[in-house]
Amino acid sequence: MASRRDFMETLYRESSGRIFDFLYKYTGNPEVASDLMQDTFLNFFKKYADSDLNREQSLKLLYTIARNRSINHAKKFSTVRETGAEDMGVFQEKGPTFVRKAELSDLESRLKECLAFLPEDERYAVVLKNIENYTLADIAEVMGISVATASRLVVRATGKLLEIAKEKQIFPGN
């Protein structure tokens, strides 16, 4: 049982930043993202502590739980989202994401604003694909949809993001 506990501790230590980033990109609020992340891991540990899931399976479940928790939170607290937090906390993922690769903090905040214009499912699909580098099969599994639907969501969301970026005159070269 000690090895399973070690696995869960390692999973939290290595994945909490990724889950926080995912939730922050959806909520735009670091405090809410942190609360939802803690709730996600607590729920995962309660339900799957004794399971024989590997790291990849565990991550997929964590993203699924995080997505569902954030949807429930959004439905429960459908208020205006806060933006522009200075400190994103210690859970910020240190690995590169497509937003961070943009190199400009102004561009990062404007791209985050563009994500907010997407419908919920499209936003999740494009974040999982472009920020978390998930395959279409993984996205389909996390979102509980077919691979074809996941593909359509990613393509549609990418097209919409490009249109929004053009409208707002957001280009990496600017």
Side-chain angles (χ1 to χ4, degrees):
M1 193 62 168
S3 65
R4 193 64 188 164
R5 181 175 180 214
D6 292 341
F7 171 79
M8 290 294 189
E9 288 175 4
T10 302
L11 181 67
Y12 179 81
R13 191 173 46 256
E14 293 176 355
S15 305
S16 60
R18 289 176 68 181
I19 299 298
F20 174 83
D21 276 354
F22 175 72
L23 290 164
Y24 178 75
K25 296 215 176 17
Y26 178 73
T27 64
N29 182 319
E31 290 84 20
V32 171
S34 182
D35 289 346
L36 290 173
M37 182 206 53
Q38 295 294 335
D39 190 41
T40 296
F41 276 96
L42 180 62
N43 184 272
F44 177 81
F45 293 153
K46 282 181 180 177
K47 290 186 179 181
Y48 300 102
D50 296 326
S51 68
D52 291 330
L53 297 170
N54 63 31
R55 186 178 188 285
E56 184 178 326
Q57 292 168 323
S58 297
L59 271 175
K60 287 179 186 176
L61 274 170
L62 283 167
Y63 277 107
T64 301
I65 294 167
R67 177 179 179 267
N68 291 338
R69 295 289 172 172
S70 63
I71 289 170
N72 290 343
H73 179 271
K75 287 179 181 175
K76 187 174 180 182
F77 301 101
S78 59
T79 60
V80 177
R81 298 191 317 188
E82 296 178 25
T83 57
E86 300 292 321
D87 179 25
M88 289 178 55
V90 295
F91 300 110
Q92 178 97 21
E93 179 66 21
K94 293 178 183 168
T97 64
F98 89 99
V99 174
R100 287 192 208 125
K101 289 177 186 175
E103 298 179 7
L104 301 171
S105 61
D106 184 48
L107 178 60
E108 180 180 351
S109 65
R110 292 188 296 170
L111 287 173
K112 287 178 183 176
E113 288 175 19
C114 291
L115 281 174
F117 290 102
L118 294 177
E120 189 173 281
D121 285 347
E122 291 176 8
R123 187 174 346 144
Y124 279 118
V126 79
V127 167
L128 288 171
K129 179 71 175 156
N130 295 312
I131 296 176
E132 301 301 330
N133 297 316
Y134 268 40
T135 65
L136 292 174
D138 292 338
I139 293 168
E141 186 176 333
V142 167
M143 294 181 71
I145 56 177
S146 71
V147 174
T149 302
S151 176
R152 283 192 297 274
L153 283 173
V154 170
V155 168
R156 188 173 36 223
T158 303
K160 285 181 181 179
L161 277 176
L162 288 173
E163 286 181 26
I164 293 166
K166 285 178 186 176
E167 288 174 11
K168 293 186 171 283
Q169 298 179 347
I170 301 172
F171 299 102
N174 290 354

